[in-house]
Amino acid sequence: MNFTSAALFASIIFGAIGLAAFVYGKRTGALPPIVIGLALMIYPYFIPQTWLLYIIGCILSGCLFIFRE
């Protein structure tokens, strides 16, 4: 795994966004925020390139606004 400071920062930021989305989805009973939140928390473990971490994280974070109810 890539342990640069940029990769660590991306993992922490997108993980925190994912946790907030997951908790929000749990409280409201909405499935899209739960699924996207889990994806945001899990995907950094499987993506070794830093630039790809940021692209996928931004896309998933944008999906939170697209698939809101």
Side-chain angles (χ1 to χ4, degrees):
M1 182 167 183
N2 192 359
F3 289 113
T4 64
S5 59
L8 182 62
F9 180 74
S11 297
I12 291 171
I13 292 298
F14 292 123
I17 293 170
L19 180 63
F22 180 79
V23 170
Y24 171 77
K26 244 355 221 173
R27 288 188 183 181
T28 61
L31 186 62
I34 292 173
V35 173
I36 296 170
L38 283 173
L40 278 165
M41 289 187 285
I42 293 172
Y43 89 93
Y45 291 106
F46 302 105
I47 307 298
Q49 293 89 4
T50 303
W51 62 273
L52 200 53
L53 278 174
Y54 282 100
I55 290 175
I56 294 172
C58 289
I59 290 170
L60 287 173
S61 296
C63 286
L64 285 172
F65 292 104
I66 293 171
F67 296 113
R68 65 183 169 187
E69 296 178 309

